[in-house]
mmCIF file of all heavy atoms in Angstrom:
data_model
loop_
_atom_site.group_PDB
_atom_site.id
_atom_site.type_symbol
_atom_site.label_atom_id
_atom_site.label_comp_id
_atom_site.label_asym_id
_atom_site.label_seq_id
_atom_site.Cartn_x
_atom_site.Cartn_y
_atom_site.Cartn_z
ATOM 1 N N ARG H 78 2.397 -9.277 0.731
ATOM 2 C CA ARG H 78 3.828 -8.968 0.827
ATOM 3 C C ARG H 78 4.630 -10.246 0.884
ATOM 4 O O ARG H 78 4.153 -11.286 1.409
ATOM 5 C CB ARG H 78 4.123 -8.046 2.001
ATOM 6 C CG ARG H 78 3.917 -8.703 3.398
ATOM 7 C CD ARG H 78 3.992 -7.605 4.458
ATOM 8 N NE ARG H 78 5.339 -7.081 4.570
ATOM 9 C CZ ARG H 78 5.610 -5.914 5.191
ATOM 10 N NH1 ARG H 78 4.636 -5.220 5.765
ATOM 11 N NH2 ARG H 78 6.856 -5.468 5.261
ATOM 12 N N ASP H 79 5.862 -10.140 0.384
ATOM 13 C CA ASP H 79 6.801 -11.248 0.453
ATOM 14 C C ASP H 79 8.071 -10.680 1.159
ATOM 15 O O ASP H 79 8.846 -9.993 0.499
ATOM 16 C CB ASP H 79 7.143 -11.774 -0.928
ATOM 17 C CG ASP H 79 8.040 -13.008 -0.915
ATOM 18 O OD1 ASP H 79 8.774 -13.195 0.105
ATOM 19 O OD2 ASP H 79 8.045 -13.719 -1.887
ATOM 20 N N ASN H 80 8.166 -10.952 2.430
ATOM 21 C CA ASN H 80 9.289 -10.333 3.205
ATOM 22 C C ASN H 80 10.630 -10.882 2.734
ATOM 23 O O ASN H 80 11.640 -10.208 2.893
ATOM 24 C CB ASN H 80 9.063 -10.556 4.708
ATOM 25 C CG ASN H 80 7.973 -9.646 5.249
ATOM 26 O OD1 ASN H 80 7.554 -8.690 4.620
ATOM 27 N ND2 ASN H 80 7.462 -9.988 6.451
ATOM 28 N N ALA H 81 10.675 -12.095 2.213
ATOM 29 C CA ALA H 81 11.919 -12.666 1.753
ATOM 30 C C ALA H 81 12.436 -11.868 0.500
ATOM 31 O O ALA H 81 13.632 -11.805 0.243
ATOM 32 C CB ALA H 81 11.770 -14.127 1.403
ATOM 33 N N LYS H 82 11.481 -11.338 -0.247
ATOM 34 C CA LYS H 82 11.821 -10.592 -1.475
ATOM 35 C C LYS H 82 11.751 -9.063 -1.240
ATOM 36 O O LYS H 82 11.943 -8.295 -2.190
ATOM 37 C CB LYS H 82 10.876 -10.979 -2.610
ATOM 38 C CG LYS H 82 11.030 -12.416 -3.037
ATOM 39 C CD LYS H 82 10.135 -12.742 -4.248
ATOM 40 C CE LYS H 82 10.332 -14.163 -4.696
ATOM 41 N NZ LYS H 82 9.466 -14.507 -5.846
ATOM 42 N N SER H 83 11.382 -8.652 -0.023
ATOM 43 C CA SER H 83 11.264 -7.225 0.283
ATOM 44 C C SER H 83 10.323 -6.498 -0.715
ATOM 45 O O SER H 83 10.630 -5.420 -1.226
ATOM 46 C CB SER H 83 12.606 -6.526 0.315
ATOM 47 O OG SER H 83 13.445 -7.037 1.301
ATOM 48 N N THR H 84 9.192 -7.158 -0.966
ATOM 49 C CA THR H 84 8.289 -6.641 -2.000
ATOM 50 C C THR H 84 6.846 -6.711 -1.486
ATOM 51 O O THR H 84 6.442 -7.669 -0.843
ATOM 52 C CB THR H 84 8.400 -7.471 -3.317
ATOM 53 O OG1 THR H 84 9.743 -7.387 -3.772
ATOM 54 C CG2 THR H 84 7.452 -6.927 -4.383
ATOM 55 N N VAL H 85 6.088 -5.658 -1.801
ATOM 56 C CA VAL H 85 4.668 -5.626 -1.514
ATOM 57 C C VAL H 85 3.915 -5.556 -2.869
ATOM 58 O O VAL H 85 4.428 -4.953 -3.808
ATOM 59 C CB VAL H 85 4.292 -4.446 -0.595
ATOM 60 C CG1 VAL H 85 4.595 -3.108 -1.230
ATOM 61 C CG2 VAL H 85 2.851 -4.551 -0.178
ATOM 62 N N TYR H 86 2.767 -6.176 -2.907
ATOM 63 C CA TYR H 86 1.984 -6.300 -4.136
ATOM 64 C C TYR H 86 0.607 -5.721 -3.941
ATOM 65 O O TYR H 86 0.063 -5.691 -2.852
ATOM 66 C CB TYR H 86 1.875 -7.768 -4.573
ATOM 67 C CG TYR H 86 3.174 -8.522 -4.723
ATOM 68 C CD1 TYR H 86 3.686 -9.263 -3.673
ATOM 69 C CD2 TYR H 86 3.937 -8.403 -5.869
ATOM 70 C CE1 TYR H 86 4.889 -9.955 -3.787
ATOM 71 C CE2 TYR H 86 5.154 -9.036 -5.982
ATOM 72 C CZ TYR H 86 5.594 -9.823 -4.947
ATOM 73 O OH TYR H 86 6.783 -10.473 -5.080
ATOM 74 N N LEU H 87 0.012 -5.288 -5.083
ATOM 75 C CA LEU H 87 -1.400 -4.942 -5.069
ATOM 76 C C LEU H 87 -2.032 -5.571 -6.293
ATOM 77 O O LEU H 87 -1.778 -5.150 -7.459
ATOM 78 C CB LEU H 87 -1.579 -3.435 -5.122
ATOM 79 C CG LEU H 87 -2.975 -2.928 -4.995
ATOM 80 C CD1 LEU H 87 -3.563 -3.229 -3.557
ATOM 81 C CD2 LEU H 87 -3.145 -1.456 -5.292
ATOM 82 N N GLN H 88 -2.822 -6.612 -6.045
ATOM 83 C CA GLN H 88 -3.568 -7.285 -7.112
ATOM 84 C C GLN H 88 -4.910 -6.536 -7.299
ATOM 85 O O GLN H 88 -5.683 -6.433 -6.358
ATOM 86 C CB GLN H 88 -3.821 -8.745 -6.791
ATOM 87 C CG GLN H 88 -4.674 -9.476 -7.819
ATOM 88 C CD GLN H 88 -3.946 -9.640 -9.137
ATOM 89 O OE1 GLN H 88 -2.750 -9.922 -9.170
ATOM 90 N NE2 GLN H 88 -4.659 -9.404 -10.224
ATOM 91 N N MET H 89 -5.114 -5.997 -8.523
ATOM 92 C CA MET H 89 -6.303 -5.219 -8.782
ATOM 93 C C MET H 89 -7.168 -5.939 -9.798
ATOM 94 O O MET H 89 -6.727 -6.120 -10.950
ATOM 95 C CB MET H 89 -5.901 -3.824 -9.258
ATOM 96 C CG MET H 89 -4.950 -3.097 -8.311
ATOM 97 S SD MET H 89 -4.658 -1.399 -8.835
ATOM 98 C CE MET H 89 -3.757 -1.712 -10.350
ATOM 99 N N ASN H 90 -8.369 -6.326 -9.411
ATOM 100 C CA ASN H 90 -9.305 -7.002 -10.309
ATOM 101 C C ASN H 90 -10.529 -6.167 -10.482
ATOM 102 O O ASN H 90 -10.818 -5.236 -9.738
ATOM 103 C CB ASN H 90 -9.691 -8.365 -9.725
ATOM 104 C CG ASN H 90 -8.511 -9.296 -9.524
ATOM 105 O OD1 ASN H 90 -7.545 -9.242 -10.276
ATOM 106 N ND2 ASN H 90 -8.558 -10.156 -8.533
ATOM 107 N N SER H 91 -11.317 -6.517 -11.501
ATOM 108 C CA SER H 91 -12.547 -5.811 -11.795
ATOM 109 C C SER H 91 -12.386 -4.288 -11.827
ATOM 110 O O SER H 91 -13.113 -3.525 -11.222
ATOM 111 C CB SER H 91 -13.637 -6.170 -10.747
ATOM 112 O OG SER H 91 -13.857 -7.573 -10.727
ATOM 113 N N LEU H 92 -11.374 -3.876 -12.532
ATOM 114 C CA LEU H 92 -10.986 -2.455 -12.526
ATOM 115 C C LEU H 92 -12.058 -1.605 -13.185
ATOM 116 O O LEU H 92 -12.725 -2.011 -14.163
ATOM 117 C CB LEU H 92 -9.632 -2.272 -13.236
ATOM 118 C CG LEU H 92 -8.419 -2.620 -12.381
ATOM 119 C CD1 LEU H 92 -7.173 -2.882 -13.230
ATOM 120 C CD2 LEU H 92 -8.150 -1.549 -11.342
ATOM 121 N N LYS H 93 -12.201 -0.413 -12.652
ATOM 122 C CA LYS H 93 -13.204 0.556 -13.129
ATOM 123 C C LYS H 93 -12.463 1.834 -13.595
ATOM 124 O O LYS H 93 -11.366 2.145 -13.118
ATOM 125 C CB LYS H 93 -14.143 0.920 -11.986
ATOM 126 C CG LYS H 93 -14.835 -0.266 -11.343
ATOM 127 C CD LYS H 93 -15.665 0.170 -10.116
ATOM 128 C CE LYS H 93 -16.321 -1.015 -9.432
ATOM 129 N NZ LYS H 93 -17.147 -0.592 -8.268
ATOM 130 N N PRO H 94 -13.099 2.612 -14.443
ATOM 131 C CA PRO H 94 -12.502 3.860 -14.881
ATOM 132 C C PRO H 94 -12.122 4.765 -13.711
ATOM 133 O O PRO H 94 -11.079 5.486 -13.778
ATOM 134 C CB PRO H 94 -13.588 4.516 -15.757
ATOM 135 C CG PRO H 94 -14.318 3.322 -16.307
ATOM 136 C CD PRO H 94 -14.334 2.325 -15.216
ATOM 137 N N GLN H 95 -12.882 4.742 -12.640
ATOM 138 C CA GLN H 95 -12.592 5.574 -11.456
ATOM 139 C C GLN H 95 -11.407 5.102 -10.678
ATOM 140 O O GLN H 95 -10.954 5.756 -9.740
ATOM 141 C CB GLN H 95 -13.813 5.702 -10.533
ATOM 142 C CG GLN H 95 -14.449 4.395 -10.146
ATOM 143 C CD GLN H 95 -15.633 4.033 -11.015
ATOM 144 O OE1 GLN H 95 -15.579 4.086 -12.224
ATOM 145 N NE2 GLN H 95 -16.714 3.603 -10.352
ATOM 146 N N ASP H 96 -10.811 3.982 -11.045
ATOM 147 C CA ASP H 96 -9.580 3.502 -10.443
ATOM 148 C C ASP H 96 -8.353 4.159 -11.084
ATOM 149 O O ASP H 96 -7.226 3.948 -10.631
ATOM 150 C CB ASP H 96 -9.422 1.987 -10.511
ATOM 151 C CG ASP H 96 -10.484 1.253 -9.700
ATOM 152 O OD1 ASP H 96 -10.751 1.686 -8.554
ATOM 153 O OD2 ASP H 96 -11.042 0.254 -10.199
ATOM 154 N N THR H 97 -8.561 4.879 -12.180
ATOM 155 C CA THR H 97 -7.456 5.543 -12.863
ATOM 156 C C THR H 97 -6.795 6.563 -11.937
ATOM 157 O O THR H 97 -7.445 7.412 -11.389
ATOM 158 C CB THR H 97 -8.004 6.258 -14.107
ATOM 159 O OG1 THR H 97 -8.477 5.290 -15.052
ATOM 160 C CG2 THR H 97 -6.889 7.069 -14.784
ATOM 161 N N ALA H 98 -5.502 6.407 -11.817
ATOM 162 C CA ALA H 98 -4.706 7.257 -10.895
ATOM 163 C C ALA H 98 -3.249 6.865 -10.982
ATOM 164 O O ALA H 98 -2.888 5.885 -11.606
ATOM 165 C CB ALA H 98 -5.180 7.102 -9.451
ATOM 166 N N VAL H 99 -2.408 7.692 -10.360
ATOM 167 C CA VAL H 99 -1.036 7.295 -10.089
ATOM 168 C C VAL H 99 -1.039 6.566 -8.744
ATOM 169 O O VAL H 99 -1.553 7.088 -7.751
ATOM 170 C CB VAL H 99 -0.075 8.486 -10.029
ATOM 171 C CG1 VAL H 99 1.333 8.020 -9.712
ATOM 172 C CG2 VAL H 99 -0.102 9.222 -11.378
ATOM 173 N N TYR H 100 -0.500 5.384 -8.744
ATOM 174 C CA TYR H 100 -0.459 4.570 -7.539
ATOM 175 C C TYR H 100 0.941 4.603 -6.887
ATOM 176 O O TYR H 100 1.953 4.407 -7.581
ATOM 177 C CB TYR H 100 -0.854 3.113 -7.856
ATOM 178 C CG TYR H 100 -2.316 2.943 -8.043
ATOM 179 C CD1 TYR H 100 -2.969 3.453 -9.189
ATOM 180 C CD2 TYR H 100 -3.125 2.283 -7.099
ATOM 181 C CE1 TYR H 100 -4.335 3.335 -9.350
ATOM 182 C CE2 TYR H 100 -4.450 2.155 -7.259
ATOM 183 C CZ TYR H 100 -5.097 2.674 -8.408
ATOM 184 O OH TYR H 100 -6.442 2.531 -8.554
ATOM 185 N N TYR H 101 0.954 4.824 -5.585
ATOM 186 C CA TYR H 101 2.192 4.912 -4.831
ATOM 187 C C TYR H 101 2.249 3.883 -3.721
ATOM 188 O O TYR H 101 1.233 3.646 -3.068
ATOM 189 C CB TYR H 101 2.297 6.287 -4.184
ATOM 190 C CG TYR H 101 2.300 7.459 -5.095
ATOM 191 C CD1 TYR H 101 1.105 8.092 -5.498
ATOM 192 C CD2 TYR H 101 3.481 7.999 -5.565
ATOM 193 C CE1 TYR H 101 1.126 9.167 -6.344
ATOM 194 C CE2 TYR H 101 3.503 9.080 -6.428
ATOM 195 C CZ TYR H 101 2.329 9.669 -6.808
ATOM 196 O OH TYR H 101 2.321 10.748 -7.644
ATOM 197 N N CYS H 102 3.381 3.277 -3.519
ATOM 198 C CA CYS H 102 3.557 2.476 -2.298
ATOM 199 C C CYS H 102 4.327 3.319 -1.279
ATOM 200 O O CYS H 102 5.027 4.279 -1.644
ATOM 201 C CB CYS H 102 4.281 1.155 -2.589
ATOM 202 S SG CYS H 102 6.005 1.334 -3.037
ATOM 203 N N ALA H 103 4.098 2.983 -0.021
ATOM 204 C CA ALA H 103 4.719 3.763 1.048
ATOM 205 C C ALA H 103 5.052 2.847 2.234
ATOM 206 O O ALA H 103 4.381 1.832 2.462
ATOM 207 C CB ALA H 103 3.694 4.842 1.520
ATOM 208 N N ALA H 104 6.073 3.271 2.940
ATOM 209 C CA ALA H 104 6.574 2.517 4.105
ATOM 210 C C ALA H 104 6.392 3.300 5.409
ATOM 211 O O ALA H 104 6.804 4.494 5.463
ATOM 212 C CB ALA H 104 8.042 2.159 3.882
ATOM 213 N N ASP H 105 5.833 2.681 6.372
ATOM 214 C CA ASP H 105 5.584 3.311 7.680
ATOM 215 C C ASP H 105 6.752 2.842 8.619
ATOM 216 O O ASP H 105 6.535 2.004 9.494
ATOM 217 C CB ASP H 105 4.240 2.899 8.223
ATOM 218 C CG ASP H 105 3.886 3.582 9.503
ATOM 219 O OD1 ASP H 105 4.682 4.383 10.013
ATOM 220 O OD2 ASP H 105 2.781 3.297 10.048
ATOM 221 N N VAL H 106 7.938 3.414 8.431
ATOM 222 C CA VAL H 106 9.135 2.942 9.092
ATOM 223 C C VAL H 106 9.136 3.192 10.578
ATOM 224 O O VAL H 106 9.660 2.418 11.358
ATOM 225 C CB VAL H 106 10.375 3.572 8.403
ATOM 226 C CG1 VAL H 106 11.620 3.216 9.151
ATOM 227 C CG2 VAL H 106 10.458 3.103 6.943
ATOM 228 N N THR H 107 8.524 4.299 10.995
ATOM 229 C CA THR H 107 8.601 4.703 12.390
ATOM 230 C C THR H 107 7.451 4.178 13.258
ATOM 231 O O THR H 107 7.310 4.489 14.445
ATOM 232 C CB THR H 107 8.636 6.241 12.511
ATOM 233 O OG1 THR H 107 7.464 6.767 11.847
ATOM 234 C CG2 THR H 107 9.880 6.800 11.848
ATOM 235 N N SER H 108 6.580 3.397 12.620
ATOM 236 C CA SER H 108 5.421 2.891 13.319
ATOM 237 C C SER H 108 5.774 2.002 14.503
ATOM 238 O O SER H 108 6.604 1.126 14.412
ATOM 239 C CB SER H 108 4.501 2.125 12.352
ATOM 240 O OG SER H 108 3.420 1.527 13.058
ATOM 241 N N VAL H 109 5.063 2.232 15.620
ATOM 242 C CA VAL H 109 5.150 1.322 16.767
ATOM 243 C C VAL H 109 3.783 0.732 17.058
ATOM 244 O O VAL H 109 3.635 -0.012 18.019
ATOM 245 C CB VAL H 109 5.731 2.061 17.992
ATOM 246 C CG1 VAL H 109 7.125 2.524 17.785
ATOM 247 C CG2 VAL H 109 4.842 3.212 18.381
ATOM 248 N N ALA H 110 2.781 1.136 16.234
ATOM 249 C CA ALA H 110 1.415 0.685 16.503
ATOM 250 C C ALA H 110 1.185 -0.656 15.835
ATOM 251 O O ALA H 110 1.851 -1.054 14.893
ATOM 252 C CB ALA H 110 0.480 1.707 15.946
ATOM 253 N N VAL H 111 0.179 -1.344 16.347
ATOM 254 C CA VAL H 111 -0.257 -2.585 15.750
ATOM 255 C C VAL H 111 -1.182 -2.332 14.548
ATOM 256 O O VAL H 111 -1.168 -3.054 13.538
ATOM 257 C CB VAL H 111 -0.972 -3.452 16.787
ATOM 258 C CG1 VAL H 111 -1.536 -4.731 16.136
ATOM 259 C CG2 VAL H 111 -0.029 -3.818 17.930
ATOM 260 N N VAL H 112 -1.956 -1.249 14.652
ATOM 261 C CA VAL H 112 -2.890 -0.900 13.623
ATOM 262 C C VAL H 112 -2.194 -0.398 12.373
ATOM 263 O O VAL H 112 -1.268 0.426 12.522
ATOM 264 C CB VAL H 112 -3.911 0.155 14.137
ATOM 265 C CG1 VAL H 112 -4.857 0.573 13.059
ATOM 266 C CG2 VAL H 112 -4.694 -0.380 15.361
ATOM 267 N N VAL H 113 -2.630 -0.800 11.217
ATOM 268 C CA VAL H 113 -2.067 -0.335 9.979
ATOM 269 C C VAL H 113 -2.697 1.031 9.658
ATOM 270 O O VAL H 113 -3.946 1.143 9.615
ATOM 271 C CB VAL H 113 -2.333 -1.303 8.827
ATOM 272 C CG1 VAL H 113 -1.764 -0.767 7.526
ATOM 273 C CG2 VAL H 113 -1.716 -2.657 9.141
ATOM 274 N N SER H 114 -1.876 2.049 9.420
ATOM 275 C CA SER H 114 -2.416 3.386 9.261
ATOM 276 C C SER H 114 -3.022 3.577 7.885
ATOM 277 O O SER H 114 -2.510 3.050 6.870
ATOM 278 C CB SER H 114 -1.293 4.428 9.453
ATOM 279 O OG SER H 114 -1.813 5.723 9.224
ATOM 280 N N ARG H 115 -4.119 4.377 7.840
ATOM 281 C CA ARG H 115 -4.739 4.771 6.585
ATOM 282 C C ARG H 115 -4.340 6.203 6.226
ATOM 283 O O ARG H 115 -4.842 6.769 5.230
ATOM 284 C CB ARG H 115 -6.258 4.698 6.705
ATOM 285 C CG ARG H 115 -6.780 3.296 6.956
ATOM 286 C CD ARG H 115 -8.292 3.336 7.298
ATOM 287 N NE ARG H 115 -8.825 2.013 7.528
ATOM 288 C CZ ARG H 115 -9.540 1.326 6.633
ATOM 289 N NH1 ARG H 115 -9.772 1.871 5.444
ATOM 290 N NH2 ARG H 115 -10.014 0.124 6.921
ATOM 291 N N THR H 116 -3.486 6.836 7.028
ATOM 292 C CA THR H 116 -3.176 8.222 6.903
ATOM 293 C C THR H 116 -1.825 8.397 6.159
ATOM 294 O O THR H 116 -0.811 7.886 6.611
ATOM 295 C CB THR H 116 -3.073 8.883 8.248
ATOM 296 O OG1 THR H 116 -4.329 8.673 8.981
ATOM 297 C CG2 THR H 116 -2.847 10.365 8.124
ATOM 298 N N ALA H 117 -1.858 9.186 5.067
ATOM 299 C CA ALA H 117 -0.616 9.389 4.294
ATOM 300 C C ALA H 117 0.479 9.975 5.141
ATOM 301 O O ALA H 117 1.643 9.638 4.951
ATOM 302 C CB ALA H 117 -0.943 10.247 3.099
ATOM 303 N N ALA H 118 0.135 10.893 6.018
ATOM 304 C CA ALA H 118 1.131 11.605 6.804
ATOM 305 C C ALA H 118 1.927 10.630 7.719
ATOM 306 O O ALA H 118 3.043 10.977 8.170
ATOM 307 C CB ALA H 118 0.513 12.684 7.636
ATOM 308 N N GLN H 119 1.357 9.458 8.029
ATOM 309 C CA GLN H 119 2.035 8.515 8.895
ATOM 310 C C GLN H 119 3.196 7.770 8.174
ATOM 311 O O GLN H 119 4.098 7.278 8.823
ATOM 312 C CB GLN H 119 1.014 7.478 9.407
ATOM 313 C CG GLN H 119 1.580 6.373 10.278
ATOM 314 C CD GLN H 119 2.164 6.907 11.585
ATOM 315 O OE1 GLN H 119 1.578 7.781 12.205
ATOM 316 N NE2 GLN H 119 3.350 6.386 11.961
ATOM 317 N N TYR H 120 3.163 7.783 6.860
ATOM 318 C CA TYR H 120 4.162 7.045 6.101
ATOM 319 C C TYR H 120 5.386 7.905 5.811
ATOM 320 O O TYR H 120 5.253 9.078 5.504
ATOM 321 C CB TYR H 120 3.519 6.509 4.792
ATOM 322 C CG TYR H 120 2.529 5.409 5.087
ATOM 323 C CD1 TYR H 120 1.237 5.670 5.519
ATOM 324 C CD2 TYR H 120 2.903 4.068 4.933
ATOM 325 C CE1 TYR H 120 0.328 4.638 5.798
ATOM 326 C CE2 TYR H 120 2.019 3.069 5.202
ATOM 327 C CZ TYR H 120 0.723 3.373 5.617
ATOM 328 O OH TYR H 120 -0.142 2.329 5.895
ATOM 329 N N ASP H 121 6.548 7.270 5.953
ATOM 330 C CA ASP H 121 7.813 8.012 5.912
ATOM 331 C C ASP H 121 8.476 8.005 4.574
ATOM 332 O O ASP H 121 9.252 8.946 4.240
ATOM 333 C CB ASP H 121 8.759 7.391 6.936
ATOM 334 C CG ASP H 121 8.128 7.251 8.296
ATOM 335 O OD1 ASP H 121 7.909 8.281 8.964
ATOM 336 O OD2 ASP H 121 7.746 6.112 8.681
#
């Protein structure tokens, strides 16, 4: 991420056919935890 540009990136290398999908970014705005959530429902 680049906080000065308000942008997050995903560099994907060695791509496989099973990586085919629609990719979404998400923001966990209400988080108060230190741990980064892996749960879609946590993202706002």
